[in-house]
Amino acid sequence: MAGAPPHPVLHPADSVARVRGYLQGLQARITEALQALEPEGGARFRADAWSKPPGASLSGDGNTLILEGGRVFERAGCGLSHVRGPQLPPSASAHRSALAGAPFEAMGLSLVLHPRNPYVPTVHMNVRMIAAAHPGQAPSCWFGGGMDLTPCYGFEEDVVHFHRHCRAALAPFGADKYPRFKQWCDEYFYLKHRNEQRGAGGVFYDDLAEPDFEQSLALTQSVGEAFVPAYLPIVQKRQATPYGARERDFQSYRRGRYVEFNLVWDRGTHFGLQSGGRTESILLSMPPLAAWSYQRRDAAGSAEAALTQQFLVRRDWLADIPE
């Protein structure tokens, strides 16, 4: 970051540089893999580098890579941010009350991909680090992240594939991690006002600081590296599936649910907005098109009805799959 930061540096410079360097490399690797799926001469990722100057309520910088109007991805956003602020927002101190109002530093990589074909699922992935401390205290540092799959038309083999990669990413860090983080994902990505899961789940974790910084960072890196093999084979398998107006209509309807969750319940969205973050980057997760229907009812036995009955439920997707 250029210039002297107006807010305290809350973690050793080498640790900050390591995490930031990793996130920059991960952003490049993921977007290169996604770009390769788009036809030559089609939509490309464009970079939108940004900075918040010293003296602002939040200082720092970042780089948003965004692709819109693609043949495969109608909208794909992958944003890197590294910011400092004078007061930890309530959404980040909910489980760390002793740090309420403390100066903080946060960096993370977040992506949401909205495919054009309704048979290709939407996906979200995020990895992040936050450090905070009141003046005169040693900094507390923790990690969070995960990835989750949100299909419009469900295929059990796709969901199983995704969850297998989630489990494999966490296996080196203890047999308890996948079941615990899978349950956490199910409980977090839940529309309470609709009594409905957002999608078919994945893994999610927050406030991770145990056993130490190195292991927490290693776990977070493992999750980040698992994203491409967990998701891209599903895209490649489904992207040529024929679809029509019916499927696009249902896709827009399901995207409406995605918008509801992100604006009403998502802590990451709340953290960004409460801390004075860059709105355009915070809302890159929004789909390009969405719709709402009043008391929609899908016909029994239809593929649309099957989504709610078979995929928007809390299931052990790997119950019969050996580790």
Side-chain angles (χ1 to χ4, degrees), residues 10 85-89 93 97-105 131-135 137:
L10 295 171
Q87 290 188 320
L88 193 66
S93 60
S97 57
L99 292 173
F104 73 93
E105 180 172 8
H134 287 290
Q137 294 181 342

Side-chain angles (χ1 to χ4, degrees), residues 144-186:
M147 54 181 164
D148 61 284
L149 199 68
T150 305
C152 294
Y153 291 91
F155 296 90
E156 187 157 334
E157 63 188 275
D158 293 352
V159 181
V160 168
H161 170 87
F162 189 82
H163 277 267
R164 287 186 74 168
H165 280 275
C166 289
R167 184 174 68 181
L170 295 170
F173 305 94
D176 65 308
K177 294 298 187 298
Y178 170 73
R180 178 181 159 201
F181 293 173
K182 189 267 184 191
Q183 180 180 352
W184 202 339
C185 183
D186 288 340

Side-chain angles (χ1 to χ4, degrees), residues 162-246:
F162 189 82
H163 277 267
R164 287 186 74 168
H165 280 275
C166 289
R167 184 174 68 181
L170 295 170
F173 305 94
D176 65 308
K177 294 298 187 298
Y178 170 73
R180 178 181 159 201
F181 293 173
K182 189 267 184 191
Q183 180 180 352
W184 202 339
C185 183
D186 288 340
E187 293 173 352
Y188 181 79
F189 292 104
Y190 175 66
L191 285 81
K192 299 176 185 177
H193 62 291
R194 298 240 185 226
N195 190 29
E196 180 180 287
Q197 297 297 131
R198 187 175 83 170
V203 291
F204 176 82
Y205 63 98
D206 204 358
D207 300 298
L208 181 69
E210 300 298 335
D212 55 28
F213 178 90
E214 293 298 333
Q215 282 294 298
S216 297
L217 173 58
L219 184 151
T220 298
Q221 291 173 324
S222 187
V223 169
E225 296 303 321
F227 173 74
V228 168
Y231 182 64
L232 261 65
I234 299 173
V235 180
Q236 292 166 328
K237 184 185 296 183
R238 306 296 173 194
Q239 64 181 349
T241 304
Y243 65 90
R246 169 179 168 169

Side-chain angles (χ1 to χ4, degrees), residues 1 15-25 61-62 80 82 107:
M1 293 169 59
S15 297
V16 170
R18 283 174 57 204
V19 176
R20 180 175 173 126
Y22 170 72
L23 295 176
Q24 288 173 323
D61 65 348
L80 172 72
H82 183 184
M107 66 179 78

Side-chain angles (χ1 to χ4, degrees), residues 26-297:
L26 181 62
Q27 183 185 41
R29 292 191 296 277
I30 289 175
T31 52
E32 287 170 6
L34 298 174
Q35 185 67 79
L37 296 176
E38 292 287 345
E40 287 292 331
R44 319 305 289 172
F45 275 98
R46 60 182 175 87
D48 179 20
W50 55 269
S51 63
K52 285 185 168 288
S57 60
L58 199 68
S59 65
D61 65 348
N63 188 27
T64 298
L65 297 181
I66 184 79
L67 181 152
E68 294 184 297
R71 184 82 57 84
V72 177
F73 297 105
E74 195 166 13
R75 191 163 202 252
C78 185
L80 172 72
S81 64
H82 183 184
V83 297
R84 295 184 177 94
Q87 290 188 320
L88 193 66
S91 58
S93 60
H95 302 291
R96 295 173 179 268
S97 57
L99 292 173
F104 73 93
E105 180 172 8
M107 66 179 78
L109 181 70
S110 182
L111 68 82
V112 176
L113 311 178
H114 291 289
R116 183 175 297 278
N117 191 317
Y119 288 99
V120 182
T122 290
V123 73
H124 158 258
M125 193 275 287
N126 173 266
V127 284
R128 60 191 178 275
M129 183 193 85
I130 300 177
H134 287 290
Q137 294 181 342
S140 296
C141 179
W142 63 96
F143 291 83
M147 54 181 164
D148 61 284
L149 199 68
T150 305
C152 294
Y153 291 91
F155 296 90
E156 187 157 334
E157 63 188 275
D158 293 352
V159 181
V160 168
H161 170 87
F162 189 82
H163 277 267
R164 287 186 74 168
H165 280 275
C166 289
R167 184 174 68 181
L170 295 170
F173 305 94
D176 65 308
K177 294 298 187 298
Y178 170 73
R180 178 181 159 201
F181 293 173
K182 189 267 184 191
Q183 180 180 352
W184 202 339
C185 183
D186 288 340
E187 293 173 352
Y188 181 79
F189 292 104
Y190 175 66
L191 285 81
K192 299 176 185 177
H193 62 291
R194 298 240 185 226
N195 190 29
E196 180 180 287
Q197 297 297 131
R198 187 175 83 170
V203 291
F204 176 82
Y205 63 98
D206 204 358
D207 300 298
L208 181 69
E210 300 298 335
D212 55 28
F213 178 90
E214 293 298 333
Q215 282 294 298
S216 297
L217 173 58
L219 184 151
T220 298
Q221 291 173 324
S222 187
V223 169
E225 296 303 321
F227 173 74
V228 168
Y231 182 64
L232 261 65
I234 299 173
V235 180
Q236 292 166 328
K237 184 185 296 183
R238 306 296 173 194
Q239 64 181 349
T241 304
Y243 65 90
R246 169 179 168 169
E247 289 87 352
R248 283 286 281 178
D249 175 72
F250 187 63
Q251 180 188 51
S252 291
Y253 167 68
R254 293 308 314 172
R255 284 174 170 178
R257 293 288 205 267
Y258 206 89
V259 171
E260 288 181 24
F261 177 85
N262 282 17
L263 294 182
V264 177
W265 299 109
D266 186 57
R267 283 177 60 189
T269 302
H270 295 171
F271 176 90
L273 297 176
Q274 290 170 358
S275 63
R278 184 173 183 262
T279 302
E280 197 73 12
S281 296
I282 296 164
L283 298 181
L284 66 78
S285 64
M286 295 297 107
L289 299 170
W292 283 261
S293 299
Y294 186 78
Q295 295 185 339
R296 176 175 174 134
R297 297 289 184 270

